[in-house]
Amino acid sequence: MLRVSRLTDYATVVMTVIATHPADVLSTAQIADEARLELPTVSKLLKLLGHAGLVESFRGVNGGYRLARPAEAISLADIVEALEGPIGLTECSIAQGHCDRHAQCGVSGSWQSVSGAIDGVLRGMTLAQMLAGRPAAPAKGAANPAQANA
Amino acid sequence: MLRVSRLTDYATVVMTVIATHPADVLSTAQIADEARLELPTVSKLLKLLGHAGLVESFRGVNGGYRLARPAEAISLADIVEALEGPIGLTECSIAQGHCDRHAQCGVSGSWQSVSGAIDGVLRGMTLAQMLAGRPAAPAKGAANPAQANA
DNA sequence: TGGAAACCGGACCAAAATGGTACTGTTTTC
DNA sequence: GAAAACAGTACCATTTTGGTCCGGTTTCCA
């Protein structure tokens, strides 16, 4: 269904929880509690988000996590990429040359085009906007914004 | 990765093959040959595409498949939906109420918003446009929703 | 100085989705 | 009535996903 994985969905929740406490370092347990998610799952997510440079970690007693950048500077695309790798609808969209049918398939260009547009949509939605609840037009940079759903 | 399934990718290839012969009824074998895909796989795809009303089927000798509508009237969203169901990045995007965390999660609105935008992107790319952007033709149509991979 | 609080990096496993194939039936044409 | 071609369904192997656990390391503080 053209889904993002459930972990990615959870990751956005985790990020918004962290973002609502901009001044604090939150432990995994606190975050899991506020996000209503299992602790091991949240722990795994935070590791991934840390590797992607979206959160900063602090070890030891009173350690925990904090946003690495202001919420305005973190996009949904950043989060999706942290969990799922580079954004692209098809294999061709990410790396050419893998497909031996590439020469005659003819659709790769179209897929790349829409992948780019979708990347723009995701990049236009910031964590700050997600916090705000009802964001304005999410599709900046994409040529076909469409209506903001129902 | 935010991928579309490989079958969906194949389906676009199959559709473009059919679309290049607007006047003919093509057998599954012909389509498989032109698309360079396995016959059973193509057969499965065509059944799905038929159920979605994107292709018409004709049984018996000299039977086969044909586009049910002109290529201009078939969008990438139609094909994706035929293979993967309703378009929505998260479960919340498709049907509300499933998630017991819905009340406090706060991100569902954002996901719905970007899902809608992506749906628009997919709906804006028609099969006719995909045909126009074949690799043999160096002059890529400027009618695409966005420039490739920004 | 030692213990507790937290994160780190893996490994691991069960369950589900995916991709691919096969088989049998039905329809149509000649 | 035989052959061509689609229809429906069932099946299986593989991969991906989601979730959990464990031992190790770092830091704080009594």
Side-chain angles (χ1 to χ4, degrees), chain A:
Chain A
M1 308 180 188
L2 189 55
R3 292 273 173 87
V4 98
S5 85
R6 204 190 306 185
L7 271 308
T8 302
D9 192 359
Y10 291 168
T12 60
V13 177
V14 164
M15 289 296 281
T16 55
V17 165
I18 300 176
T20 52
H21 303 271
D24 305 325
V25 172
L26 302 177
S27 72
T28 305
Q30 286 176 285
I31 297 168
D33 185 56
E34 280 202 43
R36 263 106 181 160
L37 295 170
E38 295 303 316
L39 193 140
T41 300
V42 172
S43 171
K44 185 183 211 173
L45 288 172
L46 287 167
K47 282 176 219 170
L48 267 338
L49 293 168
H51 291 163
L54 302 184
V55 298
E56 270 183 318
S57 67
F58 300 91
R59 305 178 76 153
V61 177
N62 299 327
Y65 293 91
R66 189 174 64 182
L67 250 41
R69 309 196 286 268
E72 294 77 22
I74 296 177
S75 73
L76 190 46
D78 293 326
I79 300 174
V80 170
E81 281 178 344
L83 275 289
E84 320 203 359
I87 291 169
L89 270 347
T90 63
E91 311 197 12
C92 288
S93 304
I94 295 171
Q96 297 192 17
H98 284 169
C99 183
D100 54 337
R101 295 179 259 269
H102 187 271
Q104 66 273 347
C105 94
V107 297
S108 64
S110 303
W111 277 120
Q112 277 183 29
S113 174
V114 310
S115 292
I118 288 176
D119 188 72
V121 170
L122 259 27
R123 221 159 282 286
M125 170 71 76
T126 71
L127 184 55
Q129 283 176 300
M130 289 192 258
L131 277 181
R134 293 284 172 256
K140 305 202 172 75
N144 206 328
Q147 67 286 17
N149 200 10

Side-chain angles (χ1 to χ4, degrees), chain B residues 38-64:
Chain B
E38 295 303 314
L39 194 140
T41 299
V42 173
S43 171
K44 187 184 212 173
L45 288 171
L46 288 167
K47 281 176 218 170
L48 266 338
L49 292 168
H51 291 161
L54 302 183
V55 298
E56 270 184 318
S57 67
F58 300 91
R59 304 179 77 155
V61 178
N62 298 327

Side-chain angles (χ1 to χ4, degrees), chain B residues 6-7 11 17 39-40 43 67 73 97 99 119 127 137 140 144 147:
Chain B
R6 204 191 306 185
L7 271 309
V17 166
L39 194 140
S43 171
L67 250 43
C99 183
D119 187 72
L127 184 55
K140 202 154 70 167
N144 291 330
Q147 70 282 29

Side-chain angles (χ1 to χ4, degrees), chain B residues 64-111:
Chain B
Y65 293 90
R66 190 175 61 183
L67 250 43
R69 309 196 288 268
E72 293 77 22
I74 296 177
S75 74
L76 191 46
D78 293 326
I79 300 174
V80 170
E81 281 180 341
L83 274 288
E84 319 202 359
I87 292 168
L89 271 344
T90 63
E91 311 200 10
C92 288
S93 305
I94 296 172
Q96 298 192 18
H98 285 169
C99 183
D100 54 337
R101 296 179 258 269
H102 187 270
Q104 66 274 348
C105 93
V107 298
S108 64
S110 303
W111 276 120

